[in-house]
Amino acid sequence: MPVRWLVNSHSHADHWLGNAAFSDTVIELIASEQTVSTMKKYGKDDVKFYTKVTKGTIGFTQLRYPNVLLK
């Protein structure tokens, strides 16, 4: 059964950098407007940080932002 909803409760990178792994199945990717704003502000830096501290073992990470925003 496909994943229908994915909720990002907050913008800590370890909670949302895996969003792209659900690209083929998730219908609604949900988060607050403030969370998405923070994701967009720091997302590229978060990927660089996690790539460095894991010595590249996280592989390629594509940023995928929520498409349903809560006020």
Side-chain angles (χ1 to χ4, degrees), residues 1-41:
M1 209 168 171
V3 176
R4 296 178 65 191
W5 305 282
L6 186 92
V7 178
N8 293 141
S9 60
H10 59 286
S11 61
H12 292 172
D14 61 325
H15 289 260
W16 75 274
L17 287 182
N19 286 351
F22 297 93
S23 291
D24 294 338
T25 61
V26 72
I27 295 170
E28 292 182 333
L29 186 48
I30 305 164
S32 71
E33 290 177 344
Q34 182 179 0
T35 295
V36 175
S37 176
T38 303
M39 289 172 171
K40 289 181 177 182
K41 184 174 182 180

Side-chain angles (χ1 to χ4, degrees), residues 5 33 35 37 42 48 50 62 64-65:
W5 305 282
E33 290 177 344
T35 295
S37 176
Y42 297 109
K48 287 178 188 175
Y50 276 97
Q62 181 179 353
R64 179 155 184 234
Y65 302 105

